[in-house]
Amino acid sequence: MSLLWLPYRLSMRIFLFFIPRLPLLTLLSFFPCWSQQPLPYPIPQDTLLTQEKDTLSLVQSNKEADKVFLREQDTLVNSFADSLTLASKPSSARLCGTPLRRRPYVNPWSLVIPMALIGRGIFSIDSRFDHKLQHYVTNNIKGKLRIDDHLQYLPIASVFAFPNLGMRPYHNLKARLLVGSTAYALTAIFVNSLKYSVRQLRPDRSTHNSFPSGHTATVFTGVEILYQEYKHYDPWIGISGYIVATSVGLLRIYNNRHWASDVVAGAGIGILSAKLAYLLLPYTSKIIKREKQSEKDLPQWQSLLLPTYDYKEKSVGLSLTIHF
């Protein structure tokens, strides 16, 4: 029985403990300031004004910081929206000039492959493999095919002809012309400087300008431009072009005009020249824009040159008229 009465006794003790003290606790809850100690002296008015000014300046600085934060947030939101808008546009919207992305159109690390081909061709000049292959060609294959003289221009002609067939290139006509002229200028510089410095004898012993192969360099320059312009449309266009370019290189060996090392180095020079032309496109396009701007700044004038004949003196002359 004592265990059953234990909860009852505890509840009664707690009740009897709080009931006498309830009025005192109620009064203390209505007057919480009694626990604070009074100030020993009054605060000066100047100090109060200084504290108020400091508080106001702190509030204003916080408001300005909030405004700056909101501006940064708006800028981030707008840039994100612009990026989404550009990403939602089709690839055809980027075909009207320079690409929208800031990074180069050609990866600079892709220059490693053509440079490796050039190095392979240089280190295999007059090698045993070149002589064995050429000996096999001359002894087992009869006849010559001069189609390589025309096939070398097929890829670059396709770059400008395919848009008429409904295939959209990556750059517009001006950019393609600029890339092509830059690439072939670099190809001519590389090929001719090596031809007349190395002076390798041709397999048919006609001249000493075998290394590197100019036909191979020309066709691979056009093929690389063809691949870069239409790889977004159909990668097989560039792959087919590389098959044609490889055929041109093999025909140069078949016709006994070049060694294998000449063809390998020529392919590397062609690819390297095209890739460098794309990397230089942002700078070459700026040069052309500056020249156009300088032409606009020149004074505009017109001239007219007409022949004259004096009947009395029976003499012939010229009349020049200039309008400023």
Short mmCIF file of all heavy atoms in Angstrom, two decimals, residues 65-75:
data_model
loop_
_atom_site.label_atom_id
_atom_site.label_comp_id
_atom_site.label_asym_id
_atom_site.label_seq_id
_atom_site.Cartn_x
_atom_site.Cartn_y
_atom_site.Cartn_z
N ALA A 65 25.47 48.13 -48.25
CA ALA A 65 25.98 46.78 -48.49
C ALA A 65 24.89 45.88 -49.06
O ALA A 65 25.14 45.07 -49.97
CB ALA A 65 26.55 46.19 -47.20
N ASP A 66 23.66 46.05 -48.53
CA ASP A 66 22.55 45.26 -49.08
C ASP A 66 22.28 45.63 -50.54
O ASP A 66 21.99 44.75 -51.36
CB ASP A 66 21.29 45.50 -48.24
CG ASP A 66 21.42 44.91 -46.83
OD1 ASP A 66 22.27 44.02 -46.67
OD2 ASP A 66 20.70 45.37 -45.93
N LYS A 67 22.38 46.94 -50.89
CA LYS A 67 22.16 47.34 -52.27
C LYS A 67 23.21 46.74 -53.20
O LYS A 67 22.91 46.26 -54.30
CB LYS A 67 22.18 48.86 -52.38
CG LYS A 67 20.96 49.54 -51.75
CD LYS A 67 21.06 51.05 -51.92
CE LYS A 67 19.85 51.74 -51.28
NZ LYS A 67 19.95 53.22 -51.41
N VAL A 68 24.50 46.77 -52.77
CA VAL A 68 25.57 46.18 -53.58
C VAL A 68 25.35 44.69 -53.76
O VAL A 68 25.53 44.13 -54.86
CB VAL A 68 26.94 46.47 -52.92
CG1 VAL A 68 28.04 45.70 -53.64
CG2 VAL A 68 27.22 47.96 -52.94
N PHE A 69 24.94 44.04 -52.71
CA PHE A 69 24.67 42.59 -52.80
C PHE A 69 23.55 42.30 -53.79
O PHE A 69 23.63 41.36 -54.59
CB PHE A 69 24.34 42.05 -51.41
CG PHE A 69 23.99 40.59 -51.39
CD1 PHE A 69 24.98 39.62 -51.52
CD2 PHE A 69 22.66 40.18 -51.25
CE1 PHE A 69 24.65 38.28 -51.52
CE2 PHE A 69 22.33 38.84 -51.25
CZ PHE A 69 23.34 37.88 -51.36
N LEU A 70 22.48 43.12 -53.73
CA LEU A 70 21.37 42.92 -54.66
C LEU A 70 21.79 43.17 -56.10
O LEU A 70 21.36 42.46 -57.02
CB LEU A 70 20.21 43.83 -54.28
CG LEU A 70 19.50 43.50 -52.95
CD1 LEU A 70 18.46 44.56 -52.63
CD2 LEU A 70 18.84 42.12 -53.03
N ARG A 71 22.65 44.19 -56.33
CA ARG A 71 23.14 44.44 -57.68
C ARG A 71 23.95 43.25 -58.20
O ARG A 71 23.81 42.86 -59.36
CB ARG A 71 24.00 45.70 -57.69
CG ARG A 71 23.21 46.99 -57.50
CD ARG A 71 24.15 48.16 -57.37
NE ARG A 71 23.43 49.39 -57.04
CZ ARG A 71 24.02 50.53 -56.73
NH1 ARG A 71 25.35 50.60 -56.70
NH2 ARG A 71 23.30 51.59 -56.45
N GLU A 72 24.83 42.72 -57.35
CA GLU A 72 25.62 41.56 -57.77
C GLU A 72 24.73 40.37 -58.08
O GLU A 72 24.96 39.64 -59.06
CB GLU A 72 26.63 41.20 -56.69
CG GLU A 72 27.72 42.26 -56.50
CD GLU A 72 28.66 41.89 -55.38
OE1 GLU A 72 28.39 40.88 -54.68
OE2 GLU A 72 29.68 42.58 -55.21
N GLN A 73 23.70 40.18 -57.28
CA GLN A 73 22.78 39.09 -57.54
C GLN A 73 22.05 39.28 -58.87
O GLN A 73 21.88 38.34 -59.65
CB GLN A 73 21.76 38.97 -56.40
CG GLN A 73 22.37 38.52 -55.07
CD GLN A 73 22.87 37.09 -55.15
OE1 GLN A 73 22.28 36.25 -55.81
NE2 GLN A 73 23.96 36.82 -54.47
N ASP A 74 21.62 40.55 -59.15
CA ASP A 74 20.96 40.82 -60.43
C ASP A 74 21.89 40.58 -61.60
O ASP A 74 21.49 40.05 -62.64
CB ASP A 74 20.45 42.26 -60.45
CG ASP A 74 19.32 42.49 -59.45
OD1 ASP A 74 18.68 41.49 -59.06
OD2 ASP A 74 19.11 43.65 -59.05
N THR A 75 23.18 40.96 -61.44
CA THR A 75 24.15 40.74 -62.52
C THR A 75 24.34 39.26 -62.78
O THR A 75 24.39 38.81 -63.94
CB THR A 75 25.49 41.39 -62.14
OG1 THR A 75 25.28 42.77 -61.86
CG2 THR A 75 26.49 41.25 -63.29
#
